[in-house]
Amino acid sequence: MERLQKVIAQAGIASRRKAEELIQQGTVTVNGKVVKELGTKVSSNDKIEVSGIPVEREQPVYFLLYKPTGVISSVSDDKGRKVVTDFFPHLKERIYPIGRLDYDTSGVLLLTNDGDFANTLMHPKHEVDKVYIAKVKGIPTREQLRLLANGIKLEDGLTAPAKTKLISSDRKKNTSIIQIIIHEGRNRQVRRMFEAIGCPVLKLKREQYGIMTLHNLRPGESRELTPHEVKQLRAQSQVKSRR
Ligand code: URA
């Protein structure tokens, strides 16, 4: 038995809070009867509808994909390009990516059909750390890296402070490898941050998302998360939001 608002949120219809509002507004029925009580528990046999539309319920599933470059972080593409769900051809659950990696970025991408879980991890207030390794043009000075660490002004506002580490540099090729840790998830954020300090990104890989790493996976490979990892990811984001 699960709480009604959780089932609605898991189905990806609304956040948990919004689901509570929908229930209180009388738009939710269970087996044909309007239910306004927030504590109501439902089983997998109960038929739930929101505004007359049946809630499709699937077992929640959670995957980690080592996304290769040249793949769209989406479930379909109108130009027929490869999408991340193409790596799960036999899965019957309808999963989707939690956030996005650019077409030309590789690395850790989580996928699920649990809307509640996806919303929790993606909400900026939950501050899940993402670790990236960037190969950039040029060799940034300490001062330039400090700009990233302090937060840098982009066209959509100041970024939250980032942690950066110069891993190596190649004077001949005039390139560097830098680790950068951020918890925001704005569009092309890492690329724009490095662009802003005059060191454009040549290659970008996400090595870690919260506790999840690429350990033992090759590009294009995936694995299911363990129940413990799902719990840890949830707990990690909730602790951060209470800070
Ligand atoms: N930042 C970027 O610029 N690209 C990504 O794919 C992820 C973070």
Side-chain angles (χ1 to χ4, degrees):
M1 298 287 276
E2 296 224 73
R3 284 172 163 256
L4 186 53
Q5 57 266 43
K6 185 173 175 198
V7 172
I8 294 170
Q10 265 181 352
I13 292 165
S15 67
R16 229 186 262 200
R17 187 175 301 162
K18 188 81 183 83
E20 289 175 359
E21 282 173 28
L22 291 172
I23 294 168
Q24 286 169 323
Q25 286 160 5
T27 55
V28 178
T29 59
V30 178
N31 303 322
K33 284 205 191 103
V34 172
V35 169
K36 290 189 175 178
E37 196 64 49
L38 286 185
T40 304
K41 294 217 170 161
V42 287
S43 77
S44 54
N45 295 325
D46 289 317
K47 194 164 174 288
I48 302 160
E49 291 184 347
V50 176
S51 305
I53 299 165
V55 173
E56 302 288 345
R57 295 165 74 184
E58 289 177 345
Q59 249 336 87
V61 290
Y62 309 88
F63 289 92
L64 162 59
L65 170 70
Y66 185 161
K67 177 195 171 297
T69 57
V71 180
I72 309 264
S73 293
S74 176
V75 297
S76 65
D77 182 55
D78 48 15
K79 295 188 189 119
R81 290 171 295 183
K82 205 171 173 64
V83 295
V84 287
T85 45
D86 289 344
F87 291 96
F88 303 85
H90 304 300
L91 193 71
K92 65 179 191 321
E93 288 85 2
R94 291 159 307 160
I95 55 170
Y96 47 85
I98 301 180
R100 270 194 282 156
L101 286 179
D102 300 333
Y103 183 73
D104 40 3
T105 301
S106 64
V108 179
L109 188 68
L110 301 184
L111 297 101
T112 186
N113 58 352
D114 182 341
D116 191 36
F117 181 77
N119 282 337
T120 303
L121 290 195
M122 277 194 294
H123 199 293
K125 80 169 190 215
H126 291 137
E127 301 188 2
V128 176
D129 277 344
K130 291 132 198 160
V131 182
Y132 294 88
I133 296 290
K135 180 176 181 185
V136 304
K137 194 157 188 297
I139 301 171
T141 60
R142 256 192 229 160
E143 201 39 56
Q144 281 171 302
L145 289 181
R146 198 169 298 134
L147 289 174
L148 299 180
N150 290 342
I152 195 157
K153 202 156 183 283
L154 301 178
E155 62 199 19
D156 51 358
L158 196 66
T159 62
K163 288 185 200 129
T164 59
K165 189 159 54 171
L166 180 65
I167 309 259
S168 64
S169 52
D170 185 330
R171 296 212 166 265
K172 258 201 208 139
K173 293 191 179 136
N174 192 33
T175 57
S176 314
I177 306 288
I178 296 160
Q179 183 196 65
I180 177 162
I181 307 178
I182 61 170
H183 62 251
E184 295 172 301
R186 300 193 214 168
N187 194 26
R188 296 183 79 81
Q189 180 166 347
V190 173
R191 292 175 198 275
R192 290 190 290 135
M193 287 170 82
F194 280 108
E195 189 80 47
I197 62 161
C199 296
V201 168
L202 303 171
K203 217 170 162 189
L204 187 60
K205 177 174 170 186
R206 180 154 75 192
E207 290 216 319
Q208 205 169 328
Y209 184 109
I211 53 158
M212 303 307 301
T213 69
L214 293 168
H215 184 65
N216 278 347
L217 291 179
R218 281 175 301 186
E221 288 184 343
S222 63
R223 70 168 177 88
E224 204 160 353
L225 267 57
T226 66
H228 186 61
E229 286 169 335
V230 174
K231 246 190 218 161
Q232 275 184 296
L233 280 166
R234 265 214 188 92
Q236 193 173 43
S237 56
Q238 275 149 17
V239 167
K240 295 252 174 139
S241 68
R242 276 191 230 119
R243 279 200 311 213

Tab-separated table of all heavy atoms in Angstrom, residues 67 73 100-106 130 132 182 184-194 201 204-206, ligand 1:
chain	number	residue	atom	x	y	z
A	67	LYS	N	26.553	7.264	-20.838
A	67	LYS	CA	26.123	7.840	-22.119
A	67	LYS	C	27.344	8.127	-22.981
A	67	LYS	O	28.252	8.825	-22.556
A	67	LYS	CB	25.345	9.139	-21.880
A	67	LYS	CG	24.929	9.839	-23.179
A	67	LYS	CD	24.493	11.269	-22.898
A	67	LYS	CE	24.284	12.093	-24.133
A	67	LYS	NZ	25.497	12.302	-24.941
A	73	SER	N	19.922	13.118	-25.079
A	73	SER	CA	19.345	12.763	-23.770
A	73	SER	C	17.832	12.951	-23.813
A	73	SER	O	17.292	13.885	-23.213
A	73	SER	CB	19.924	13.646	-22.668
A	73	SER	OG	21.277	13.389	-22.489
A	100	ARG	N	19.796	16.212	-18.231
A	100	ARG	CA	20.338	15.991	-19.580
A	100	ARG	C	21.849	16.106	-19.616
A	100	ARG	O	22.431	16.832	-18.828
A	100	ARG	CB	19.783	17.064	-20.512
A	100	ARG	CG	18.498	16.654	-21.164
A	100	ARG	CD	18.167	17.561	-22.290
A	100	ARG	NE	17.617	18.809	-21.800
A	100	ARG	CZ	17.663	19.950	-22.476
A	100	ARG	NH1	18.271	20.013	-23.632
A	100	ARG	NH2	17.117	21.035	-21.983
A	101	LEU	N	22.426	15.381	-20.550
A	101	LEU	CA	23.817	15.646	-20.937
A	101	LEU	C	23.749	16.064	-22.404
A	101	LEU	O	22.944	15.524	-23.168
A	101	LEU	CB	24.673	14.387	-20.804
A	101	LEU	CG	25.047	13.935	-19.385
A	101	LEU	CD1	25.879	12.661	-19.438
A	101	LEU	CD2	25.829	15.023	-18.646
A	102	ASP	N	24.599	16.999	-22.805
A	102	ASP	CA	24.613	17.450	-24.195
A	102	ASP	C	24.898	16.276	-25.133
A	102	ASP	O	25.528	15.290	-24.744
A	102	ASP	CB	25.726	18.480	-24.426
A	102	ASP	CG	25.560	19.707	-23.572
A	102	ASP	OD1	24.421	20.028	-23.200
A	102	ASP	OD2	26.592	20.346	-23.277
A	103	TYR	N	24.520	16.466	-26.378
A	103	TYR	CA	24.792	15.487	-27.438
A	103	TYR	C	26.274	15.084	-27.421
A	103	TYR	O	26.629	13.919	-27.538
A	103	TYR	CB	24.424	16.151	-28.770
A	103	TYR	CG	24.560	15.292	-29.985
A	103	TYR	CD1	23.642	14.275	-30.241
A	103	TYR	CD2	25.583	15.521	-30.909
A	103	TYR	CE1	23.743	13.498	-31.376
A	103	TYR	CE2	25.693	14.745	-32.048
A	103	TYR	CZ	24.775	13.729	-32.272
A	103	TYR	OH	24.879	12.959	-33.399
A	104	ASP	N	27.158	16.076	-27.243
A	104	ASP	CA	28.598	15.804	-27.313
A	104	ASP	C	29.257	15.619	-25.941
A	104	ASP	O	30.478	15.685	-25.814
A	104	ASP	CB	29.320	16.899	-28.129
A	104	ASP	CG	28.775	18.285	-27.844
A	104	ASP	OD1	27.877	18.396	-26.980
A	104	ASP	OD2	29.242	19.248	-28.453
A	105	THR	N	28.450	15.401	-24.894
A	105	THR	CA	29.000	15.098	-23.565
A	105	THR	C	28.756	13.619	-23.273
A	105	THR	O	27.694	13.091	-23.607
A	105	THR	CB	28.287	15.937	-22.467
A	105	THR	OG1	28.452	17.320	-22.759
A	105	THR	CG2	28.861	15.655	-21.092
A	106	SER	N	29.742	12.984	-22.645
A	106	SER	CA	29.574	11.580	-22.254
A	106	SER	C	29.454	11.495	-20.734
A	106	SER	O	29.650	12.483	-20.035
A	106	SER	CB	30.770	10.753	-22.743
A	106	SER	OG	31.939	11.202	-22.098
A	130	LYS	N	27.611	17.152	-9.095
A	130	LYS	CA	27.951	16.488	-10.346
A	130	LYS	C	29.416	16.782	-10.633
A	130	LYS	O	29.830	17.945	-10.608
A	130	LYS	CB	27.092	17.012	-11.491
A	130	LYS	CG	25.644	16.618	-11.371
A	130	LYS	CD	24.752	17.798	-11.582
A	130	LYS	CE	23.365	17.513	-11.049
A	130	LYS	NZ	22.618	18.743	-10.801
A	132	TYR	N	32.508	16.717	-13.185
A	132	TYR	CA	32.833	16.679	-14.605
A	132	TYR	C	34.338	16.740	-14.805
A	132	TYR	O	35.053	17.375	-14.018
A	132	TYR	CB	32.237	17.892	-15.335
A	132	TYR	CG	30.738	17.904	-15.361
A	132	TYR	CD1	30.004	18.482	-14.331
A	132	TYR	CD2	30.043	17.327	-16.419
A	132	TYR	CE1	28.620	18.485	-14.357
A	132	TYR	CE2	28.654	17.326	-16.451
A	132	TYR	CZ	27.960	17.909	-15.418
A	132	TYR	OH	26.592	17.905	-15.448
A	182	ILE	N	29.890	20.848	-9.782
A	182	ILE	CA	28.797	21.821	-9.633
A	182	ILE	C	27.547	21.078	-9.161
A	182	ILE	O	27.472	19.856	-9.276
A	182	ILE	CB	28.479	22.569	-10.958
A	182	ILE	CG1	28.031	21.599	-12.056
A	182	ILE	CG2	29.667	23.387	-11.414
A	182	ILE	CD1	27.487	22.293	-13.296
A	184	GLU	N	24.378	22.718	-9.818
A	184	GLU	CA	23.261	23.207	-10.633
A	184	GLU	C	23.197	22.372	-11.915
A	184	GLU	O	24.117	21.624	-12.223
A	184	GLU	CB	23.484	24.664	-10.992
A	184	GLU	CG	23.469	25.569	-9.779
A	184	GLU	CD	23.890	26.976	-10.149
A	184	GLU	OE1	25.005	27.149	-10.642
A	184	GLU	OE2	23.074	27.875	-9.952
A	185	GLY	N	22.128	22.547	-12.666
A	185	GLY	CA	22.002	21.758	-13.900
A	185	GLY	C	21.480	22.615	-15.031
A	185	GLY	O	20.555	22.224	-15.729
A	186	ARG	N	22.083	23.798	-15.209
A	186	ARG	CA	21.584	24.666	-16.286
A	186	ARG	C	22.075	24.154	-17.637
A	186	ARG	O	23.098	23.460	-17.711
A	186	ARG	CB	22.116	26.085	-16.092
A	186	ARG	CG	21.685	26.688	-14.772
A	186	ARG	CD	21.993	28.162	-14.824
A	186	ARG	NE	22.390	28.663	-13.531
A	186	ARG	CZ	22.926	29.854	-13.363
A	186	ARG	NH1	23.168	30.635	-14.390
A	186	ARG	NH2	23.253	30.266	-12.146
A	187	ASN	N	21.394	24.594	-18.655
A	187	ASN	CA	21.720	24.164	-20.002
A	187	ASN	C	23.172	24.507	-20.360
A	187	ASN	O	23.579	25.653	-20.224
A	187	ASN	CB	20.735	24.855	-20.960
A	187	ASN	CG	20.765	24.239	-22.318
A	187	ASN	OD1	21.112	23.064	-22.471
A	187	ASN	ND2	20.422	25.010	-23.321
A	188	ARG	N	23.924	23.528	-20.808
A	188	ARG	CA	25.320	23.695	-21.236
A	188	ARG	C	26.137	24.515	-20.223
A	188	ARG	O	26.998	25.312	-20.593
A	188	ARG	CB	25.381	24.358	-22.628
A	188	ARG	CG	24.748	23.494	-23.709
A	188	ARG	CD	24.855	24.098	-25.085
A	188	ARG	NE	26.160	23.926	-25.694
A	188	ARG	CZ	26.573	22.821	-26.310
A	188	ARG	NH1	25.796	21.769	-26.352
A	188	ARG	NH2	27.764	22.756	-26.854
A	189	GLN	N	25.862	24.274	-18.961
A	189	GLN	CA	26.450	25.131	-17.923
A	189	GLN	C	27.975	25.083	-17.871
A	189	GLN	O	28.630	26.121	-17.823
A	189	GLN	CB	25.877	24.765	-16.550
A	189	GLN	CG	26.445	25.631	-15.431
A	189	GLN	CD	25.671	25.514	-14.149
A	189	GLN	OE1	24.561	24.974	-14.139
A	189	GLN	NE2	26.243	26.004	-13.066
A	190	VAL	N	28.535	23.870	-17.875
A	190	VAL	CA	29.994	23.763	-17.740
A	190	VAL	C	30.672	24.405	-18.955
A	190	VAL	O	31.636	25.168	-18.828
A	190	VAL	CB	30.426	22.292	-17.569
A	190	VAL	CG1	31.943	22.169	-17.606
A	190	VAL	CG2	29.874	21.722	-16.265
A	191	ARG	N	30.126	24.128	-20.119
A	191	ARG	CA	30.701	24.727	-21.342
A	191	ARG	C	30.645	26.249	-21.271
A	191	ARG	O	31.607	26.942	-21.621
A	191	ARG	CB	29.953	24.234	-22.587
A	191	ARG	CG	30.186	22.752	-22.856
A	191	ARG	CD	29.345	22.251	-24.008
A	191	ARG	NE	29.262	20.807	-23.972
A	191	ARG	CZ	30.168	19.984	-24.510
A	191	ARG	NH1	31.195	20.456	-25.176
A	191	ARG	NH2	30.041	18.678	-24.400
A	192	ARG	N	29.518	26.767	-20.798
A	192	ARG	CA	29.384	28.230	-20.739
A	192	ARG	C	30.295	28.836	-19.672
A	192	ARG	O	30.811	29.932	-19.824
A	192	ARG	CB	27.921	28.619	-20.506
A	192	ARG	CG	27.060	28.326	-21.742
A	192	ARG	CD	25.688	28.927	-21.613
A	192	ARG	NE	24.864	28.279	-20.624
A	192	ARG	CZ	24.118	28.912	-19.725
A	192	ARG	NH1	24.093	30.228	-19.685
A	192	ARG	NH2	23.382	28.247	-18.859
A	193	MET	N	30.491	28.104	-18.579
A	193	MET	CA	31.370	28.620	-17.513
A	193	MET	C	32.813	28.735	-18.018
A	193	MET	O	33.490	29.737	-17.789
A	193	MET	CB	31.303	27.703	-16.283
A	193	MET	CG	29.994	27.821	-15.523
A	193	MET	SD	29.812	26.550	-14.248
A	193	MET	CE	30.773	27.254	-12.914
A	194	PHE	N	33.276	27.689	-18.724
A	194	PHE	CA	34.652	27.749	-19.229
A	194	PHE	C	34.797	28.766	-20.361
A	194	PHE	O	35.818	29.440	-20.468
A	194	PHE	CB	35.135	26.353	-19.660
A	194	PHE	CG	35.587	25.509	-18.493
A	194	PHE	CD1	34.841	24.435	-18.055
A	194	PHE	CD2	36.769	25.819	-17.824
A	194	PHE	CE1	35.248	23.671	-16.968
A	194	PHE	CE2	37.198	25.060	-16.739
A	194	PHE	CZ	36.429	23.982	-16.311
A	201	VAL	N	35.557	24.566	-23.821
A	201	VAL	CA	35.625	23.114	-23.609
A	201	VAL	C	35.788	22.395	-24.944
A	201	VAL	O	35.087	22.662	-25.908
A	201	VAL	CB	34.334	22.626	-22.898
A	201	VAL	CG1	34.238	21.104	-22.924
A	201	VAL	CG2	34.285	23.133	-21.467
A	204	LEU	N	33.966	16.873	-22.884
A	204	LEU	CA	33.368	16.926	-21.548
A	204	LEU	C	32.768	15.569	-21.171
A	204	LEU	O	32.065	14.950	-21.964
A	204	LEU	CB	32.269	18.000	-21.520
A	204	LEU	CG	31.645	18.322	-20.159
A	204	LEU	CD1	32.698	18.834	-19.171
A	204	LEU	CD2	30.537	19.376	-20.310
A	205	LYS	N	33.069	15.178	-19.933
A	205	LYS	CA	32.569	13.882	-19.440
A	205	LYS	C	32.075	14.067	-18.008
A	205	LYS	O	32.752	14.714	-17.198
A	205	LYS	CB	33.736	12.892	-19.457
A	205	LYS	CG	33.431	11.528	-18.914
A	205	LYS	CD	34.651	10.653	-19.138
A	205	LYS	CE	34.576	9.345	-18.442
A	205	LYS	NZ	35.847	8.603	-18.588
A	206	ARG	N	30.900	13.511	-17.713
A	206	ARG	CA	30.425	13.554	-16.319
A	206	ARG	C	30.839	12.260	-15.647
A	206	ARG	O	30.383	11.185	-16.026
A	206	ARG	CB	28.910	13.717	-16.267
A	206	ARG	CG	28.408	13.767	-14.824
A	206	ARG	CD	27.123	14.520	-14.681
A	206	ARG	NE	25.993	13.762	-15.165
A	206	ARG	CZ	24.788	14.295	-15.364
A	206	ARG	NH1	24.595	15.580	-15.146
A	206	ARG	NH2	23.796	13.550	-15.792
B	1	URA	N1	27.375	21.104	-18.625
B	1	URA	C1	27.502	21.169	-19.958
B	1	URA	O1	27.961	22.165	-20.491
B	1	URA	N2	27.124	20.110	-20.690
B	1	URA	C2	26.602	18.985	-20.158
B	1	URA	O2	26.271	18.056	-20.882
B	1	URA	C3	26.485	18.934	-18.764
B	1	URA	C4	26.873	20.012	-18.019
